[in-house]
Amino acid sequence: MRVPILRLGRVLLTSLPADLTDQQVMDLQIDALALIQAGKADGLVIDITAADVVDSYMARILSETAKMVKIMGGVAVLAGMQPAVALTLVEMGRDMIDMETAFDLEGGVAKVGRMVASRGGRHDEVPTA
Amino acid sequence: MRVPILRLGRVLLTSLPADLTDQQVMDLQIDALALIQAGKADGLVIDITAADVVDSYMARILSETAKMVKIMGGVAVLAGMQPAVALTLVEMGRDMIDMETAFDLEGGVAKVGRMVASRGGRHDEVPTA
């Protein structure tokens, strides 16, 4: 099954299961970008609380997804990283995860809100002269 | 894979995929009740936006889950039902879905908040004399 993506207001929320496959992380990228492209959201929070392991492939896909969301006009935040995962990612090399992060889902949603506000509002807003 | 459950503050959020199996809906019930029992949340919002079909088995498990959450001291809301699903559930018979509902995830979270507040706060709060 594909990893479900929830929409809370203008923010997409998703939680990576512990046993995530490479195909699922690719499908997640496709699904999230499609929702953002459709104008259904400004931001994406990916919760990785359940993940005990994040390998280099997954780290790269997550970082690339964040970059894709950004150039499409949105923002993306990774939330809930376990200490062991942070340790491994730092030991694997610099910038394995190159995206915004937050302690938990709540912090991630708040961060997306602040990032969207500082960027000057929603991407579907018509600027006033 | 098990359906992921996200925790946003004191509310659990989950989204049922279109291709949900009977085993997954049972696992979801177990996982959600375990989190509520562990005191990690007061409420549960189940988003069924993606579900094109809700059969009588799934409807029963969802309704029973809501009742279990309630007698454990929490609240549960079903969010995002598609018109075709509502039509089928009503035609199948009275009270196929016997739980609180909301239009979307955002409405569900708001409803959980109101229900918890009207019930007199969080279940981990110590009442003052």
Side-chain angles (χ1 to χ4, degrees):
Chain A
M1 88 178 218
R2 293 171 98 94
V3 178
I5 299 178
L6 294 88
R7 189 160 63 88
L8 186 70
R10 302 278 310 160
V11 185
L12 302 177
L13 310 177
T14 189
S15 173
L16 303 189
D19 53 353
L20 189 77
T21 64
D22 287 357
Q23 184 58 49
Q24 281 177 319
V25 74
M26 276 308 302
D27 287 342
L28 180 67
Q29 180 183 82
I30 292 164
D31 293 346
L33 294 179
L35 286 166
I36 287 177
Q37 197 270 328
K40 293 196 185 295
D42 304 304
L44 168 67
V45 184
I46 302 172
D47 189 322
I48 57 162
T49 308
D52 297 317
V53 179
V54 173
D55 62 20
S56 61
Y57 176 79
M58 203 184 298
R60 184 163 60 81
I61 300 297
L62 292 175
S63 299
E64 285 178 1
T65 304
K67 286 190 183 68
M68 292 170 195
V69 169
K70 192 175 177 183
I71 60 173
M72 285 172 71
V75 297
V77 174
L78 192 67
M81 190 182 294
Q82 290 188 27
V85 171
L87 188 151
T88 311
L89 287 174
V90 168
E91 288 194 342
M92 278 200 289
R94 210 161 63 89
D95 296 336
M96 281 300 293
I97 287 285
D98 184 17
M99 62 188 292
E100 295 289 329
T101 53
F103 286 124
D104 55 20
L105 189 66
E106 213 169 2
V109 171
K111 196 161 195 171
V112 161
R114 285 195 302 274
M115 287 163 74
V116 170
S118 74
R119 205 192 52 184
R122 297 172 172 184
H123 73 237
D124 58 351
E125 276 175 14
V126 178
T128 50
Chain B
M1 89 178 216
R2 292 172 99 93
V3 178
I5 299 178
L6 295 87
R7 189 160 65 87
L8 186 70
R10 303 277 309 161
V11 185
L12 302 177
L13 310 176
T14 190
S15 174
L16 302 190
D19 53 354
L20 190 77
T21 64
D22 288 356
Q23 184 59 49
Q24 282 177 320
V25 74
M26 278 306 304
D27 287 342
L28 180 66
Q29 182 184 80
I30 292 165
D31 293 346
L33 294 179
L35 286 166
I36 287 176
Q37 197 270 327
K40 293 195 186 296
D42 304 304
L44 168 68
V45 184
I46 302 173
D47 189 322
I48 56 162
T49 308
D52 297 315
V53 179
V54 173
D55 62 21
S56 61
Y57 176 79
M58 203 185 298
R60 185 163 59 83
I61 301 295
L62 292 176
S63 299
E64 286 179 1
T65 304
K67 285 190 183 68
M68 293 171 195
V69 168
K70 191 175 177 184
I71 60 173
M72 286 172 70
V75 297
V77 174
L78 192 67
M81 190 183 293
Q82 290 187 28
V85 172
L87 187 151
T88 312
L89 288 174
V90 168
E91 288 194 343
M92 278 201 290
R94 210 161 63 89
D95 296 335
M96 283 299 294
I97 286 286
D98 184 18
M99 61 187 292
E100 295 289 330
T101 52
F103 286 124
D104 54 20
L105 190 66
E106 212 169 0
V109 170
K111 195 161 195 171
V112 161
R114 285 195 304 274
M115 287 163 73
V116 169
S118 74
R119 206 194 50 187
R122 297 174 172 183
H123 72 236
D124 59 349
E125 275 175 15
V126 178
T128 49

